[in-house]
């Protein structure tokens, strides 16, 4: 017998053992079709007197990655057999059921395996219950079965962290009955079939996980400690606290009641805005790597060596990103002093990580050995990728790219780290615009996860594919943007900053605006962020834009600060003042005086501004500009914009990004607020609702359709 079912299940016989192999790439997601196929195959195996044991397997890549998250919130998720039902039927089987685990065995996949009577695993298989990362708890018995298999404390740690662990680390627990080394002859399926035959030969009865006791010498004291520690670390997310309470049920309630209460808690968490936001982000990260107009079979160019031009803060961080990924890096500077400073900073950063135990001395030495500091252009001749991180001035960029065009080998990718400038104009400085792309890293580049990949008009598909593959290699989230001033993130940031500025003019203070947005969940308000980044950067950008447009600069308060030499933390004063050696922002009467003077000059009588108004104006300014960016095709999808703000600008994860937040509020409500702002006397025209936003609101649709 060797049959394939429509649900993605292969059914075969190995003597008296029925072998059920899940075959639903890429990770054997437990969608409705596969669940039904498993239930039917189980019934057939139980009804066949020639079958005395059952082995449940997946692929070498994945036993099962868990539930099919695309079914969450759809009728398919509730279609019987639901996962808890299927697991219960496996566990109740009178014939022994052995799970053969290789690759990933996560979430519902591990819950499925725990419903089997025995488990044979490759030692490098990855086992875990990551539901908390989606704002959920294991809802198919995971909080009840795992404590019975590995003990209360370890189970709780695994469930609350959501972190996977190799199967080898569970040796000696009831979670893994036998381990198979990757180098051993045969595979885990053969080992599981042999294990099942041994169980039959020895006459061993099925070992049902739900019947095992939960062992912990001081369970109540431990749970009380866990409640306090998890509550302190959970922040705005309810799932970690609910995980603790669900696991506690394994020692306080009968198992049937505990399983019912676990499922109720799972369904309640499914409905929370925090879980919806996390599931949105999960889907967004996977969607961002797929571009509708990039053929999936586009082969990236090989990248074996990299050069970074500029050893300043940004260039050094970019170099570290490549070094951390195992790539050799040529670091080019114009002067020995600048090069020495850059290398010293990289070394200090690595030494700091080593002192904190995040990096071994040996690994630090290996990374530094991959770095080649130089003053010689000739060192760039054979590299596969060059990233320039020089001063943000088009004339400076032109000089660099003309040099690179003449120097670099054919096929080398020439990347600019510009934050605002026109990548099409930069590409035009070369004779090979197809090789030019924007790789906009965010500072500190070796820490921040976001990489804006800016596609110019002539960027070759394989250069784009290479950039996306490289981002994955660097451990970064890549979002593709089109060419415009500021791309996605900084273009929207300009509107956000303008809204924050106008709130100051209206009557708010920098600390009120920052405080309201930080209480909303942002890592840092706009004025603290400006002081950290340096107010002179925005000042230079405003001058450039005005010069390019041939119009006078719009007067803003930040220019007054810059004219007074107040550039932020680096000068000890900006919107706030800073005491020597400290970064705590302190309200400054000088700033208050400049704001008051600006109001007087513009005939503004200050009024009371509420925190709710601060959040509404700043967030809706982002959303409105984001809708324009979508309509212009600068971003492929709204979720890409959310990823930019979550990973590059400190937007709160539990809000899901500005575009998702707008959908949560309701696009008609956003439009009404924008129309109210646009109707105010002398309102900035940018408050007019974007046409896309109007169409979606009127149609009762969201950004996703």
């Amino acid at each position: 017998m060797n049959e394939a079912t429509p649900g993605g299940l292969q059914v075969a016989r190995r003597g008296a053992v029925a072998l059920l192999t899940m075959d639903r790439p890429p990770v054997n997601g437990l969608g409705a079709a596969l669940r039904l196929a498993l239930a039917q195959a189980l019934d057939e195996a139980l009804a066949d007197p020639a079958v005395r044991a059952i082995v449940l397997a997946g692929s070498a890549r994945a036993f099962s990655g868990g539930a099919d998250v695309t079914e969450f919130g759809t009728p398919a998720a509730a279609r019987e057999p639901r996962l808890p039902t299927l697991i219960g039927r496996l566990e109740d089987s009178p014939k022994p059921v052995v799970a053969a685990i290789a690759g990933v065995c996560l979430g519902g996949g591990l819950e499925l395996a725990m419903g089997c009577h025995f488990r044979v695993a490759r030692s490098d298989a990855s086992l875990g219950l990551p539901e908390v990362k989606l704002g959920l708890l294991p809802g198919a018995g995971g909080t009840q079965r795992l404590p019975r298999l590995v003990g209360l404390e370890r189970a709780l740690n695994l469930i609350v962290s959501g972190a996977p662990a190799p199967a080898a680390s569970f040796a000696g627990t009831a979670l893994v009955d036998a381990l198979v080394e990757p180098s051993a002859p045969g595979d885990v399926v053969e080992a599981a079939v042999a294990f099942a035959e041994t169980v039959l030969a020895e006459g061993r009865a099925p070992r049902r996980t739900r019947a095992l006791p939960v062992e912990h010498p001081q369970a109540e004291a431990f749970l009380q400690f866990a409640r306090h520690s998890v509550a302190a670390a959970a922040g705005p997310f309810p799932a970690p606290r609910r995980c603790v309470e669900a696991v506690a049920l394994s020692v306080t309630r009968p198992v049937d009641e505990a399983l019912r209460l676990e499922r109720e808690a799972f369904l309640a968490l499914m409905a929370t805005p925090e879980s919806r936001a996390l599931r949105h982000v999960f889907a967004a990260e996977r969607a961002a790597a797929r571009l509708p107009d990039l053929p999936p079979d586009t082969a990236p160019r090989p990248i074996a060596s990299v050069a970074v031009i500029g050893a300043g803060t940004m260039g050094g961080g970019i170099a570290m990103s490549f070094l951390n990924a195992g790539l050799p890096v040529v670091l080019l500077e114009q002067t020995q002093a600048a090069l020495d400073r850059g290398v010293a900073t990289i070394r200090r950063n690595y030494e700091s990580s080593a002192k904190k135990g995040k990096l071994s001395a040996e690994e630090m030495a290996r990374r530094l050995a991959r770095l080649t500091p130089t003053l010689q252009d000739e060192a760039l001749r054979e590299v596969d990728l060059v990233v320039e991180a020089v001063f943000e001035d088009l004339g400076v960029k032109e000089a660099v790219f003309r040099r690179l065009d003449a120097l670099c080998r054919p096929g080398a990718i020439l990347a600019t780290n510009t934050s605002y400038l026109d990548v099409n104009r930069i590409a035009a400085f070369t004779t090979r615009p197809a090789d030019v792309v924007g790789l906009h890293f965010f500072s500190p580049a070796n820490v921040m996860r976001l990489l804006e990949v800016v596609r110019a008009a002539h960027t070759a598909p394989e250069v784009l594919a290479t950039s996306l593959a490289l981002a994955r290699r660097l451990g970064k989230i890549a979002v593709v943007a089109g060419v415009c001033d500021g791309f996605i993130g900084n273009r929207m940031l300009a509107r956000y900053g303008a809204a924050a500025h106008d709130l100051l003019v209206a009557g708010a203070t920098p600390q009120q605006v920052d405080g309201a947005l930080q209480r909303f969940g942002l890592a840092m308000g706009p004025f603290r962020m400006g002081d950290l980044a340096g107010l002179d950067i925005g000042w230079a950008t405003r001058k450039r834009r005005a010069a390019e447009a041939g119009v006078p600069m719009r007067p803003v308060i930040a220019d007054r600060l810059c004219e007074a030499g107040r550039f932020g933390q680096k000068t000890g004063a900006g919107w706030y003042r800073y005491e020597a050696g400290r970064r705590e922002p302190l309200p400054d009467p000088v700033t208050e005086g400049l704001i008051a003077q600006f109001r007087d000059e513009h005939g503004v009588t200050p009024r009371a501004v509420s925190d709710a108004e601060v959040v509404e104006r700043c967030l809706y300014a982002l959303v409105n500009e984001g809708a324009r960016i979508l309509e212009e095709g600068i971003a492929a999808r709204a979720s890409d914009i959310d990823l930019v703000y979550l990973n590059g600008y400190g937007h709160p994860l539990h809000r899901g990004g500005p575009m998702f937040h707008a959908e949560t509020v309701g696009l008609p409500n956003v439009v009404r607020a924008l129309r109210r702002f646009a109707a105010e006397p002398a309102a900035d025209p940018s408050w007019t609702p974007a046409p896309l936003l109007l169409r979606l609101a009127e149609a009762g649709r969201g950004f996703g359709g």
Side-chain angles (χ1 to χ4, degrees):
M1 180 179 71
N2 197 335
E3 302 173 357
T5 71
L9 188 71
Q10 301 283 339
V11 180
R13 277 278 294 279
R14 300 288 182 87
V17 178
L19 175 59
L20 313 183
T21 304
M22 295 178 283
D23 184 20
R24 200 168 182 86
V27 293
N28 292 323
L30 295 167
L34 181 54
R35 297 196 307 271
L36 179 60
L38 280 167
Q40 291 173 341
L42 176 64
D43 287 345
E44 291 170 6
L46 294 178
D48 186 346
V51 172
R52 299 177 56 213
I54 300 163
V55 168
L56 176 60
S59 66
R61 178 181 176 183
F63 174 79
S64 172
D68 184 345
V69 295
T70 64
E71 290 187 355
F72 282 3
T74 70
R79 194 174 302 153
E80 289 289 359
R82 294 177 301 114
L83 189 55
T85 305
L86 175 63
I87 292 170
R89 288 167 66 177
L90 276 173
E91 194 171 46
D92 289 341
S93 166
K95 299 178 180 181
V97 183
V98 181
I101 302 171
V104 296
C105 180
L106 302 174
L110 181 56
E111 290 178 299
L112 183 69
M114 290 191 292
C116 297
H117 305 134
F118 307 99
R119 285 155 293 279
V120 176
R122 263 181 55 135
S123 61
D124 59 353
S126 182
L127 278 54
L129 294 171
E131 286 86 348
V132 70
K133 296 181 179 180
L134 295 180
L136 301 169
L137 55 75
T143 66
Q144 303 309 303
R145 291 187 176 92
L146 191 60
R148 290 171 162 81
L149 294 171
V150 302
L152 182 65
E153 184 170 352
R154 188 167 188 192
L156 184 60
N157 290 337
L158 286 164
I159 291 168
V160 170
S161 72
S169 68
F170 296 103
T173 73
L175 182 60
V176 176
D177 294 281
L179 287 167
V180 178
E181 294 303 322
S183 58
D187 63 15
V188 72
V189 174
E190 292 180 17
V193 170
F195 186 92
E197 290 171 342
T198 300
V199 167
L200 293 174
E202 295 176 354
R204 293 165 64 181
R207 184 190 61 201
R208 295 181 174 85
T209 303
R210 58 186 290 155
L212 299 176
V214 178
E215 296 181 357
H216 195 286
Q218 296 178 312
E220 189 50 48
F222 166 71
L223 288 169
Q224 198 57 31
F225 166 77
R227 288 184 179 99
H228 289 304
S229 58
V230 169
F237 295 101
R241 294 185 288 271
R242 297 296 293 269
C243 284
V244 176
E245 296 309 322
V247 171
L249 295 171
S250 68
V251 295
T252 62
R253 301 292 180 92
V255 66
D256 287 339
E257 182 183 359
L259 288 168
R260 177 179 59 78
L261 292 172
E262 174 202 74
R263 190 67 186 175
E264 290 175 2
F266 172 83
L267 295 174
L269 285 170
M270 280 281 291
T272 62
E274 293 83 6
S275 178
R276 289 200 300 270
L278 290 173
R279 299 197 313 267
H280 165 74
V281 175
F282 177 85
E285 289 181 359
R286 280 141 189 83
R290 301 188 300 271
L291 291 178
D293 58 345
L294 182 67
D297 58 349
T298 304
R301 297 179 186 176
I303 301 293
S305 58
V306 176
V308 177
I309 302 178
T313 301
M314 182 58 75
I318 294 171
M320 288 181 68
S321 294
F322 291 119
L323 294 171
N324 296 349
L327 285 163
V329 176
V330 173
L331 183 62
L332 178 68
E333 255 295 354
Q334 290 184 306
T335 69
Q336 190 65 50
L339 187 61
D340 290 345
R341 281 195 301 273
V343 173
T345 299
I346 291 172
R347 182 179 292 277
R348 274 198 309 274
N349 287 339
Y350 281 138
E351 287 173 346
S352 175
S353 294
K355 287 178 183 176
K356 295 174 183 175
K358 297 179 180 178
L359 191 69
S360 70
E362 294 78 14
E363 178 59 24
M364 181 180 78
R366 281 192 290 270
R367 294 184 188 185
L368 288 170
R370 291 194 283 266
L371 180 66
T372 303
T374 186
L375 302 176
Q376 305 302 317
D377 286 3
E378 290 297 313
L380 308 185
R381 280 199 180 275
E382 296 304 319
V383 299
D384 301 313
L385 166 70
V386 182
V387 181
E388 67 77 14
V390 301
F391 187 67
E392 191 77 336
D393 177 88
L394 194 61
V396 176
K397 307 281 191 190
E398 178 178 1
V400 168
F401 274 82
R402 291 195 186 281
R403 282 165 51 207
L404 294 176
D405 189 39
L407 187 66
C408 293
R409 66 167 182 79
I413 296 175
L414 312 181
T416 173
N417 181 57
T418 181
S419 311
Y420 289 96
L421 299 178
D422 188 334
V423 180
N424 286 324
R425 292 182 66 183
I426 293 172
F429 298 141
T430 75
T431 59
R432 41 171 138 177
D435 292 336
V436 178
V437 68
L439 293 180
H440 178 208
F441 290 80
F442 285 68
S443 187
N446 55 304
V447 175
M448 298 293 283
R449 294 183 70 205
L450 179 65
L451 178 64
E452 269 187 321
V453 177
V454 184
R455 173 168 49 181
H458 299 290
T459 301
E462 65 269 20
V463 170
L464 196 59
T466 304
S467 300
L468 295 173
L470 185 63
R472 289 192 293 273
R473 187 171 178 181
L474 300 182
K476 295 191 181 295
I477 291 174
V479 174
V480 176
V483 174
C484 65
D485 197 296
F487 317 127
I488 297 172
N490 283 337
R491 173 172 161 178
M492 291 171 63
L493 188 68
R495 283 299 314 132
Y496 173 78
H501 171 271
D502 291 349
L503 285 162
L504 293 189
V505 177
T509 64
Q511 53 268 31
Q512 181 195 358
V513 174
D514 284 348
L517 290 165
Q518 286 161 201
R519 284 186 289 276
F520 177 79
L522 271 78
M524 193 175 291
F527 300 111
R528 285 186 64 194
M529 183 188 296
D531 276 1
L532 179 64
L535 300 181
D536 52 325
I537 297 173
W539 193 31
T541 300
R542 289 190 293 276
K543 289 178 181 177
R544 173 184 61 81
R545 287 174 173 163
E548 289 176 352
V551 297
M553 286 175 61
R554 178 196 178 210
V556 294
I557 299 166
D559 290 347
R560 306 288 177 87
L561 297 171
C562 291
E563 288 161 4
R566 298 169 65 95
F567 297 155
Q569 287 189 18
K570 59 188 171 186
T571 58
W575 292 106
Y576 300 92
R577 65 181 179 85
Y578 301 87
E579 295 179 351
R582 301 181 65 185
R583 294 192 174 189
E584 180 185 0
L586 302 172
D588 194 340
V590 174
T591 301
E592 294 169 5
L594 289 171
I595 294 171
Q597 181 183 351
F598 190 92
R599 289 173 184 150
D600 290 342
E601 291 172 2
H602 290 81
V604 175
T605 301
R607 62 174 177 82
V609 174
S610 70
D611 285 2
E613 182 183 357
V614 168
V615 172
E616 196 173 53
R617 285 183 182 265
C618 290
L619 267 293
Y620 293 175
L622 282 176
V623 171
N624 205 28
E625 195 64 21
R628 293 191 177 98
I629 283 171
L630 275 176
E631 190 148 36
E632 293 170 21
I634 300 300
R637 51 185 77 84
S639 61
D640 286 358
I641 295 173
D642 286 333
L643 289 181
V644 167
Y645 267 81
L646 288 164
N647 294 285
Y649 296 87
H651 197 92
L653 183 60
H654 69 283
R655 304 285 187 182
M659 310 306 279
F660 181 82
H661 174 69
E663 291 186 322
T664 302
V665 171
L667 297 191
N669 294 326
V670 175
V671 167
R672 277 193 288 274
L674 290 170
R675 282 175 166 156
R676 189 171 72 249
F677 302 151
E680 294 171 348
D684 190 301
S686 63
W687 283 120
T688 301
L692 175 62
L693 201 55
L694 286 173
R695 291 197 303 274
L696 293 175
E698 289 168 1
R701 294 167 50 207
F703 291 113

